Amino acid sequence: MTGTPRPNPFDLSGRTALVTGSSRGLGRAMAEGLAAAGARIVLNGVDPGRLAAAAGEMRAEGFDVRDARFDVCDEAAVVAAFEGFDAEGLAVDILVNNAGIQFRKPMVDLATADWRRVIETNLTSAFVVGREAAKRMIGRGRGKIVNVGSLTSELARATVTPYTVAKGGIKMLTRGMAAEWGARNVQANAIGPGYMLTDMNEALINDPAFDAWVKGRTPARRWGRPDELAGAVVFLASPASDYVNGQIIYVDGGMISVL
Ligand code: GCO
Protein backbone atom coordinates (compact mmCIF):
# COMPACT_ATOMS: atom_id res chain seq x y z
CA MET A 1 0.00 0.00 0.00
CA THR A 2 1.34 3.48 -0.81
CA GLY A 3 0.57 6.89 0.69
CA THR A 4 -0.94 7.82 4.04
CA PRO A 5 -3.40 5.14 5.24
CA ARG A 6 -6.98 6.45 5.27
CA PRO A 7 -9.95 5.07 7.24
CA ASN A 8 -12.11 2.65 5.29
CA PRO A 9 -15.27 4.67 4.44
CA PHE A 10 -17.33 1.47 4.31
CA ASP A 11 -16.35 0.33 7.82
CA LEU A 12 -19.37 0.07 10.15
CA SER A 13 -17.42 -0.90 13.27
CA GLY A 14 -18.93 0.61 16.41
CA ARG A 15 -22.30 1.29 14.77
CA THR A 16 -25.60 -0.41 15.53
CA ALA A 17 -28.06 -1.27 12.77
CA LEU A 18 -31.74 -2.10 13.25
CA VAL A 19 -33.17 -4.01 10.27
CA THR A 20 -36.93 -4.47 10.32
CA GLY A 21 -38.36 -7.72 9.01
CA SER A 22 -34.91 -9.33 9.16
CA SER A 23 -35.45 -12.91 10.37
CA ARG A 24 -35.45 -14.05 6.74
CA GLY A 25 -35.34 -12.94 3.10
CA LEU A 26 -33.92 -9.63 1.99
CA GLY A 27 -33.87 -8.25 5.54
CA ARG A 28 -31.77 -11.15 6.80
CA ALA A 29 -29.41 -10.83 3.84
CA MET A 30 -28.95 -7.11 4.43
CA ALA A 31 -28.37 -7.73 8.14
CA GLU A 32 -25.64 -10.24 7.22
CA GLY A 33 -24.02 -7.69 4.90
CA LEU A 34 -24.08 -4.97 7.55
CA ALA A 35 -22.67 -7.38 10.15
CA ALA A 36 -19.87 -8.40 7.81
CA ALA A 37 -18.97 -4.69 7.52
CA GLY A 38 -18.62 -4.51 11.30
CA ALA A 39 -22.02 -3.32 12.50
CA ARG A 40 -23.75 -4.59 15.60
CA ILE A 41 -27.14 -5.94 14.44
CA VAL A 42 -30.61 -5.70 15.94
CA LEU A 43 -32.83 -8.18 14.11
CA ASN A 44 -36.56 -7.52 14.09
CA GLY A 45 -39.61 -9.62 13.35
CA VAL A 46 -42.83 -10.85 14.93
CA ASP A 47 -42.24 -14.63 14.98
CA PRO A 48 -40.21 -15.33 18.15
CA GLY A 49 -38.95 -18.72 17.00
CA ARG A 50 -37.81 -17.52 13.58
CA LEU A 51 -36.22 -14.42 15.11
CA ALA A 52 -34.32 -16.34 17.78
CA ALA A 53 -33.12 -18.87 15.21
CA ALA A 54 -31.85 -16.15 12.89
CA ALA A 55 -30.05 -14.35 15.72
CA GLY A 56 -28.50 -17.62 16.87
CA GLU A 57 -27.30 -18.48 13.38
CA MET A 58 -25.71 -15.05 12.94
CA ARG A 59 -24.06 -15.21 16.37
CA ALA A 60 -22.68 -18.62 15.42
CA GLU A 61 -21.01 -16.85 12.48
CA GLY A 62 -19.30 -14.60 15.03
CA PHE A 63 -21.50 -11.54 14.52
CA ASP A 64 -22.70 -9.24 17.34
CA VAL A 65 -26.46 -9.76 17.06
CA ARG A 66 -29.50 -9.33 19.25
CA ASP A 67 -33.18 -9.40 18.42
CA ALA A 68 -36.06 -7.01 19.06
CA ARG A 69 -39.49 -8.53 18.59
CA PHE A 70 -42.13 -5.96 17.68
CA ASP A 71 -44.74 -5.49 14.97
CA VAL A 72 -43.83 -2.49 12.83
CA CYS A 73 -47.57 -1.96 12.22
CA ASP A 74 -48.22 -1.52 15.96
CA GLU A 75 -47.27 2.10 16.69
CA ALA A 76 -47.35 1.61 20.45
CA ALA A 77 -45.03 -1.39 20.14
CA VAL A 78 -42.62 0.61 17.96
CA VAL A 79 -42.56 3.50 20.45
CA ALA A 80 -42.06 1.06 23.34
CA ALA A 81 -39.23 -0.69 21.51
CA PHE A 82 -37.33 2.56 21.04
CA GLU A 83 -37.97 3.56 24.64
CA GLY A 84 -36.50 0.19 25.56
CA PHE A 85 -33.43 0.91 23.45
CA ASP A 86 -33.11 4.29 25.23
CA ALA A 87 -33.29 2.61 28.63
CA GLU A 88 -30.57 0.15 27.60
CA GLY A 89 -28.39 2.92 26.16
CA LEU A 90 -28.67 1.30 22.73
CA ALA A 91 -28.27 3.87 19.94
CA VAL A 92 -29.70 2.90 16.57
CA ASP A 93 -27.16 4.51 14.22
CA ILE A 94 -28.52 2.78 11.10
CA LEU A 95 -32.16 1.94 10.36
CA VAL A 96 -33.10 -0.31 7.45
CA ASN A 97 -36.87 -0.10 6.88
CA ASN A 98 -37.28 -3.46 5.19
CA ALA A 99 -40.46 -5.01 6.63
CA GLY A 100 -43.09 -5.59 3.95
CA ILE A 101 -45.63 -7.95 2.50
CA GLN A 102 -46.89 -8.75 -0.97
CA PHE A 103 -50.55 -9.39 -1.90
CA ARG A 104 -51.32 -10.20 -5.52
CA LYS A 105 -54.91 -9.61 -6.72
CA PRO A 106 -56.59 -7.57 -9.49
CA MET A 107 -57.89 -4.28 -8.08
CA VAL A 108 -61.50 -4.99 -9.09
CA ASP A 109 -61.37 -7.96 -6.72
CA LEU A 110 -59.27 -6.27 -4.03
CA ALA A 111 -60.87 -5.69 -0.61
CA THR A 112 -60.16 -2.27 0.88
CA ALA A 113 -58.94 -4.00 4.04
CA ASP A 114 -56.28 -5.81 2.02
CA TRP A 115 -55.29 -2.55 0.32
CA ARG A 116 -54.92 -0.86 3.70
CA ARG A 117 -52.92 -3.79 5.13
CA VAL A 118 -50.31 -3.60 2.37
CA ILE A 119 -50.03 0.20 2.56
CA GLU A 120 -49.78 0.06 6.36
CA THR A 121 -47.11 -2.65 6.42
CA ASN A 122 -44.99 -1.49 3.47
CA LEU A 123 -45.22 2.31 3.80
CA THR A 124 -46.76 3.66 7.00
CA SER A 125 -44.53 1.45 9.15
CA ALA A 126 -41.45 2.96 7.50
CA PHE A 127 -42.70 6.41 8.51
CA VAL A 128 -43.42 5.37 12.12
CA VAL A 129 -40.16 3.48 12.69
CA GLY A 130 -38.27 6.17 10.77
CA ARG A 131 -39.76 8.92 12.93
CA GLU A 132 -38.82 7.16 16.17
CA ALA A 133 -35.29 6.47 14.94
CA ALA A 134 -34.80 9.97 13.53
CA LYS A 135 -35.80 11.69 16.79
CA ARG A 136 -32.80 10.01 18.41
CA MET A 137 -30.44 10.29 15.44
CA ILE A 138 -31.10 14.05 15.28
CA GLY A 139 -30.33 14.29 18.99
CA ARG A 140 -27.00 12.55 18.43
CA GLY A 141 -26.16 14.61 15.36
CA ARG A 142 -25.92 11.73 12.92
CA GLY A 143 -27.81 8.77 11.46
CA LYS A 144 -28.47 6.64 8.41
CA ILE A 145 -31.88 5.57 7.17
CA VAL A 146 -32.18 3.08 4.32
CA ASN A 147 -35.74 2.45 3.12
CA VAL A 148 -36.40 -0.61 1.00
CA GLY A 149 -38.33 0.27 -2.13
CA SER A 150 -38.61 -1.89 -5.21
CA LEU A 151 -38.35 -1.64 -8.96
CA THR A 152 -42.08 -1.15 -8.51
CA SER A 153 -41.21 2.22 -6.99
CA GLU A 154 -40.96 3.21 -10.67
CA LEU A 155 -42.91 0.66 -12.71
CA ALA A 156 -46.32 -0.92 -12.20
CA ARG A 157 -47.27 -4.52 -12.81
CA ALA A 158 -50.89 -5.69 -12.95
CA THR A 159 -52.19 -7.42 -9.78
CA VAL A 160 -49.65 -5.87 -7.37
CA THR A 161 -50.96 -2.30 -7.25
CA PRO A 162 -51.12 -1.78 -3.45
CA TYR A 163 -47.50 -3.00 -3.23
CA THR A 164 -46.52 -0.70 -6.11
CA VAL A 165 -48.27 2.30 -4.57
CA ALA A 166 -46.57 1.65 -1.23
CA LYS A 167 -43.15 1.28 -2.87
CA GLY A 168 -43.70 4.44 -4.90
CA GLY A 169 -44.53 6.10 -1.59
CA ILE A 170 -41.26 4.77 -0.14
CA LYS A 171 -39.38 6.67 -2.86
CA MET A 172 -41.10 9.93 -1.94
CA LEU A 173 -41.00 9.28 1.83
CA THR A 174 -37.24 8.91 1.42
CA ARG A 175 -37.05 12.31 -0.27
CA GLY A 176 -39.22 13.80 2.48
CA MET A 177 -36.91 12.40 5.14
CA ALA A 178 -33.93 13.87 3.26
CA ALA A 179 -35.68 17.26 3.06
CA GLU A 180 -36.45 17.38 6.77
CA TRP A 181 -33.45 15.61 8.32
CA GLY A 182 -30.54 16.27 5.97
CA ALA A 183 -29.51 19.43 7.83
CA ARG A 184 -29.24 17.36 11.03
CA ASN A 185 -26.71 14.99 9.44
CA VAL A 186 -29.23 12.20 9.00
CA GLN A 187 -28.96 10.74 5.51
CA ALA A 188 -32.08 9.02 4.18
CA ASN A 189 -31.82 6.92 1.03
CA ALA A 190 -33.46 3.82 -0.45
CA ILE A 191 -32.68 0.59 -2.23
CA GLY A 192 -34.89 -0.71 -5.03
CA PRO A 193 -34.54 -4.49 -5.38
CA GLY A 194 -35.48 -6.09 -8.65
CA TYR A 195 -36.85 -9.59 -9.00
CA MET A 196 -35.02 -11.41 -6.20
CA LEU A 197 -34.93 -15.08 -5.23
CA THR A 198 -37.03 -14.82 -2.06
CA ASP A 199 -39.89 -16.71 -0.40
CA MET A 200 -42.17 -13.77 -1.25
CA ASN A 201 -41.56 -14.47 -4.93
CA GLU A 202 -41.70 -18.26 -4.76
CA ALA A 203 -44.90 -18.52 -6.82
CA LEU A 204 -43.33 -16.36 -9.54
CA ILE A 205 -40.01 -18.21 -9.52
CA ASN A 206 -41.82 -21.53 -9.90
CA ASP A 207 -43.95 -20.25 -12.79
CA PRO A 208 -42.00 -21.11 -15.98
CA ALA A 209 -43.65 -18.33 -18.00
CA PHE A 210 -42.94 -15.68 -15.35
CA ASP A 211 -39.41 -16.98 -14.84
CA ALA A 212 -38.80 -16.69 -18.59
CA TRP A 213 -40.26 -13.19 -18.62
CA VAL A 214 -38.00 -11.99 -15.78
CA LYS A 215 -34.92 -13.46 -17.45
CA GLY A 216 -35.85 -11.97 -20.84
CA ARG A 217 -36.78 -8.56 -19.41
CA THR A 218 -33.65 -8.19 -17.26
CA PRO A 219 -30.31 -7.22 -18.89
CA ALA A 220 -28.54 -9.53 -16.41
CA ARG A 221 -30.78 -12.35 -17.74
CA ARG A 222 -31.32 -13.75 -14.24
CA TRP A 223 -33.07 -13.22 -10.90
CA GLY A 224 -31.14 -11.40 -8.18
CA ARG A 225 -29.81 -13.09 -5.04
CA PRO A 226 -30.64 -11.47 -1.66
CA ASP A 227 -26.92 -11.24 -0.80
CA GLU A 228 -26.50 -8.95 -3.83
CA LEU A 229 -28.18 -6.17 -1.85
CA ALA A 230 -25.37 -6.14 0.73
CA GLY A 231 -23.08 -3.79 -1.20
CA ALA A 232 -25.73 -1.11 -1.68
CA VAL A 233 -26.96 -1.27 1.91
CA VAL A 234 -23.42 -1.10 3.35
CA PHE A 235 -22.68 1.90 1.12
CA LEU A 236 -25.85 3.74 2.21
CA ALA A 237 -25.26 2.83 5.88
CA SER A 238 -21.62 3.97 5.90
CA PRO A 239 -19.64 7.23 5.94
CA ALA A 240 -19.01 6.61 2.23
CA SER A 241 -22.52 8.01 1.60
CA ASP A 242 -22.41 11.03 3.93
CA TYR A 243 -23.12 13.38 1.01
CA VAL A 244 -25.78 11.13 -0.57
CA ASN A 245 -29.37 12.00 0.36
CA GLY A 246 -32.84 11.23 -0.98
CA GLN A 247 -31.56 8.73 -3.54
CA ILE A 248 -32.82 5.28 -4.50
CA ILE A 249 -30.31 2.75 -5.78
CA TYR A 250 -31.87 0.07 -7.98
CA VAL A 251 -30.35 -3.38 -7.55
CA ASP A 252 -32.40 -4.94 -10.33
CA GLY A 253 -30.01 -6.31 -12.93
CA GLY A 254 -30.91 -3.32 -15.09
CA MET A 255 -34.61 -4.12 -15.49
CA ILE A 256 -36.00 -0.61 -15.04
CA SER A 257 -33.37 0.87 -17.36
CA VAL A 258 -34.46 -0.92 -20.53
CA LEU A 259 -37.56 -1.71 -22.61
C1 GCO B 1 -44.27 -9.13 -8.11
C2 GCO B 1 -43.05 -9.03 -7.21
C3 GCO B 1 -42.60 -7.58 -7.20
C4 GCO B 1 -41.45 -7.36 -6.27
C5 GCO B 1 -40.20 -7.69 -7.00
C6 GCO B 1 -39.33 -6.48 -7.16
O1 GCO B 1 -45.26 -9.77 -7.73
O2 GCO B 1 -44.18 -8.53 -9.21
O3 GCO B 1 -43.35 -9.47 -5.91
O4 GCO B 1 -43.70 -6.78 -6.81
O5 GCO B 1 -41.50 -6.04 -5.92
O6 GCO B 1 -39.58 -8.71 -6.33
O7 GCO B 1 -39.09 -5.90 -5.92
Side-chain angles (χ1 to χ4, degrees):
M1 181 173 69
T2 58
T4 310
R6 296 177 178 81
N8 172 5
F10 298 94
D11 182 7
L12 299 181
S13 303
R15 306 212 173 173
T16 298
L18 167 64
V19 183
T20 65
S22 52
S23 55
R24 61 179 173 165
L26 300 186
R28 170 71 184 275
M30 287 186 283
E32 296 262 359
L34 293 166
R40 179 186 188 202
I41 301 300
V42 181
L43 293 180
N44 162 258
V46 291
D47 180 316
R50 194 179 285 154
L51 198 55
E57 287 161 10
M58 287 187 67
R59 278 195 287 268
E61 292 180 81
F63 295 135
D64 181 351
V65 180
R66 55 161 290 174
D67 60 64
R69 185 163 69 91
F70 60 90
D71 180 351
V72 296
C73 295
D74 178 344
E75 182 167 11
V78 172
V79 171
F82 276 85
E83 287 173 350
F85 296 154
D86 295 342
E88 291 177 54
L90 185 150
V92 174
D93 304 298
I94 300 158
L95 168 65
V96 180
N97 272 317
N98 167 75
I101 57 174
Q102 179 56 283
F103 188 81
R104 302 182 181 97
K105 186 164 281 190
M107 277 196 281
V108 292
D109 303 324
L110 185 63
T112 308
D114 288 322
W115 166 277
R116 287 200 176 103
R117 184 165 53 85
V118 175
I119 299 295
E120 183 72 19
T121 309
N122 293 14
L123 177 58
T124 306
S125 72
F127 156 66
V128 173
V129 181
R131 179 193 66 202
E132 293 309 305
K135 285 177 184 174
R136 290 141 174 102
M137 291 173 173
I138 288 167
R140 290 193 296 271
R142 78 171 193 193
K144 294 283 186 177
I145 296 176
V146 183
N147 297 316
V148 178
S150 159
L151 60 78
T152 57
S153 296
E154 300 290 349
L155 301 174
R157 180 173 88 80
T159 75
V160 292
T161 301
Y163 183 97
T164 301
V165 168
K167 293 302 188 179
I170 284 288
K171 182 173 82 169
M172 295 315 294
L173 172 63
T174 301
R175 292 181 181 175
M177 288 175 168
E180 294 198 18
W181 301 336
R184 311 302 297 270
N185 194 31
V186 174
Q187 290 83 46
N189 291 285
I191 290 174
Y195 279 90
M196 311 300 281
L197 293 167
T198 59
D199 293 346
M200 184 179 85
N201 286 334
E202 188 176 3
L204 308 179
I205 295 162
N206 294 332
D207 175 339
F210 199 97
D211 176 58
W213 174 77
V214 167
K215 289 170 178 171
R217 181 72 178 71
T218 306
R221 297 289 182 266
R222 62 178 176 85
W223 293 72
R225 298 188 316 272
D227 65 277
E228 292 183 293
L229 296 181
V233 75
V234 167
F235 167 61
L236 292 176
S238 74
S241 62
D242 282 353
Y243 198 53
V244 178
N245 226 333
Q247 300 301 306
I248 182 165
I249 298 178
Y250 288 98
V251 185
D252 68 346
M255 184 183 265
I256 66 160
S257 301
V258 300
L259 285 175

